[in-house]
Amino acid sequence: MKSISVPLFLAAAIQDVTSAVPTGQDDSVTKRLENGLGRTPALGYNNWNNGGCTHATADAALKVADLLISLGLKDAGYQYLNIDDCWSSKSRNSTGHLVADPSKWPQGIKPVADKIHGMGLKFGLYGDAGTMTCAGYPGSQGHEAQDAKTLASWGVDYWKHDACYLPCATGGVPQTCWDSRSNTKSYYATMRDALAGAGRPILFSMCQWGRDSVWTWGKDYGNSWRMSGDIANNWNSLATIAANAAGMSQYAAPGGFNDLDMLQVGNGGLTENEERAHVGLWAIAKSPLLIGTDLSKLKQSTLTILKNKALIAINQDSLGKAAGYFRPSGKPAPVGGKLYPYWAGPLKDGVVVGLVASDGAATLSFNFADVPGLGSGTWKWTEVFTGATGSGTSISAQLASHDMRVYKITK
Ligand SMILES: *[C@@H]1O[C@H](CO)[C@@H](O)[C@H](O)[C@H]1NC(C)=O
């Protein structure tokens, strides 16, 4: 969703409705997505959170490519360079093809994609399942096969498929239809099959904002699915998204992941502690990590968080299982929609535990015996942000408000 923002409390309410009422949906398409892509969450960049429409140009894309390399982000694993809405002309050409806006892409898309490939990166573009993109550029509805072939011919590696201007069950075609009775499945199936037939592996990133309980069926359709409305540049937004994602951890697996939306670190709305928690939560929830800020102005503290090797390794763990809440004995139970401090999830060679000071400065503690996948006895641990290591039967950490610690725990 773009251009208009739906308050998160509304998005959360809609999710509650959609998860409770999966009525009237077309389940006839059941082909499982097996495109070999997205075995781990996508790592990369998307320009949208840095100024929306303003940087959907060849110049901006190549500048980002240079910075991903010079800042060491490519070496840290960030490989997709994705351009969001506003890259195309406002209309298709006479043969019905999408065309790049010549004022933004003077040589077209392909030479830029080629150059980006030559730098060891991958290239992504954005489109929409409806009649128009959220910013009013041509959508793919009715043109899916043609568009998928065009993308393949340009060398596109990643396609984000938004959901503006889809029909509403209640009639009309508004920019953003939040009607929970509308059915996004069929549109995403059409684009999935179009991409599968395009002759080039293209990662399919579904962006329909968590409608129709997408987390329950997304793995058969795309490599990732947004599970919420758009993230805003503040703590409450990211905390609410993470709280909702905690209950969807079982749906993440190699080939298909919950997408908590593009990162806001670097954009000035978060403290350093909050930036750590943002990337930490996204990483352990196995969300794609797409940087969305002006890389030329990145603070060292933000860069350090983004390049954290141990954290990225947890996000990219081959098991592909997401962390969710666990409740240490004696602690209060989680409250729906509210970020809870205690997270855990399996890794191929251990367990990850996240502690987040969601309610202000706190001492957070737990016994290993209370962590799913661990048990009584002595365990070794490493904390990814401080580098601290230790062993024992429990952990207690003093955290400043909204800060996070992420522990990898092994035998
Ligand atoms: C329309 O655009 C496509 C690709 O963008 C191109 O291959 C095709 O030749 C164009 N058609 C015309 C009539 O210009």
Side-chain angles (χ1 to χ4, degrees):
M1 180 221 357
K2 295 295 145 54
S3 304
I4 66 168
S5 93
V6 172
L8 269 163
F9 68 85
L10 177 55
I14 287 165
Q15 281 165 18
D16 289 342
V17 170
T18 53
S19 51
V21 194
T23 51
Q25 296 184 353
D26 173 12
D27 285 303
S28 59
V29 186
T30 54
K31 196 177 100 193
R32 163 118 210 208
L33 184 74
E34 286 292 358
N35 62 1
L37 301 173
R39 306 306 295 175
T40 59
L43 295 177
Y45 183 92
N46 176 298
N47 66 293
W48 185 263
N49 286 347
N50 175 31
C53 266
T54 42
H55 303 292
T57 68
D59 276 356
L62 292 170
K63 215 168 170 186
V64 169
D66 283 337
L67 285 161
L68 286 172
I69 290 165
S70 62
L71 293 171
L73 288 162
K74 172 184 169 268
D75 285 346
Y78 296 90
Q79 60 169 343
Y80 286 102
L81 195 172
N82 299 343
I83 298 299
D84 211 276
D85 206 350
C86 311
W87 59 268
S88 77
S89 290
K90 282 268 179 166
S91 31
R92 293 170 180 273
N93 69 11
S94 61
T95 47
H97 291 85
L98 289 173
V99 281
D101 181 337
S103 73
K104 299 176 181 174
W105 307 80
Q107 270 83 55
I109 299 288
K110 186 161 192 317
V112 181
D114 287 348
K115 205 160 179 187
I116 286 169
H117 291 151
M119 298 165 85
L121 296 163
K122 294 184 187 301
F123 181 70
L125 272 182
Y126 161 103
D128 193 279
T131 54
M132 287 196 284
T133 70
C134 299
Y137 294 81
S140 288
Q141 195 179 125
H143 290 269
E144 286 88 350
Q146 181 179 25
D147 289 355
K149 289 206 171 71
T150 302
L151 302 174
S153 76
W154 290 342
V156 169
D157 304 300
Y158 182 116
W159 180 250
K160 172 179 174 182
H161 209 47
D162 216 337
C164 282
Y165 296 100
L166 280 175
C168 271
T170 46
V173 185
Q175 191 226 29
T176 307
C177 175
W178 283 100
D179 189 326
S180 62
R181 283 169 295 169
S182 69
N183 179 7
T184 54
K185 263 188 183 178
S186 60
Y187 298 99
Y188 283 83
T190 306
M191 195 64 193
R192 169 197 64 191
D193 294 344
L195 291 172
R200 177 182 177 86
I202 299 176
L203 189 148
F204 189 29
S205 160
M206 299 165 62
C207 178
Q208 43 82 298
W209 332 313
R211 283 163 50 177
D212 303 325
S213 306
V214 63
W215 48 91
T216 64
W217 50 270
K219 68 174 175 31
D220 299 336
Y221 290 70
N223 297 111
S224 62
W225 47 89
R226 285 274 306 282
M227 42 57 68
S228 71
D230 284 6
I231 189 172
N233 184 16
N234 62 66
W235 172 258
N236 283 342
S237 173
L238 79 87
T240 306
I241 291 173
N244 287 327
M248 303 171 190
S249 57
Q250 70 268 36
Y251 300 111
F257 295 97
N258 295 306
D259 180 351
L260 278 58
D261 204 0
M262 304 167 295
L263 298 172
Q264 287 284 6
V265 297
N267 292 332
L270 302 173
T271 65
E272 183 181 334
N273 292 347
E274 291 170 345
E275 291 201 335
R276 218 172 352 258
H278 183 12
V279 181
L281 286 163
W282 264 231
I284 69 172
K286 300 289 150 78
S287 174
L289 300 177
L290 297 175
I291 302 165
T293 191
D294 182 346
L295 293 178
S296 71
K297 301 201 173 112
L298 211 53
K299 281 196 292 196
Q300 186 56 48
S301 60
T302 305
L303 186 60
T304 299
I305 294 165
L306 289 170
K307 286 169 66 173
N308 188 299
K309 268 197 168 66
L311 186 64
I312 292 173
I314 287 168
N315 177 255
Q316 296 291 301
D317 181 73
S318 61
L319 200 58
K321 295 271 190 204
Y325 293 160
F326 78 99
R327 183 183 177 186
S329 53
K331 308 285 185 193
V335 174
K338 195 170 173 298
L339 183 60
Y340 189 67
Y342 300 95
W343 291 66
L347 301 172
K348 77 169 187 300
D349 58 348
V351 164
V352 61
V353 168
L355 301 180
V356 55
S358 51
D359 246 351
T363 300
L364 300 174
S365 52
F366 64 96
N367 294 318
F368 291 144
D370 290 337
V371 178
L374 297 181
S376 52
T378 299
W379 298 84
K380 287 191 288 197
W381 54 266
T382 304
E383 201 290 312
V384 306
F385 291 120
T386 59
T389 58
S391 69
T393 58
S394 66
I395 281 177
S396 180
Q398 271 191 303
L399 271 76
S401 182
H402 297 176
D403 205 353
M404 186 166 186
R405 295 290 178 266
V406 174
Y407 299 89
K408 180 170 176 177
I409 300 169
T410 53
K411 209 31 186 182

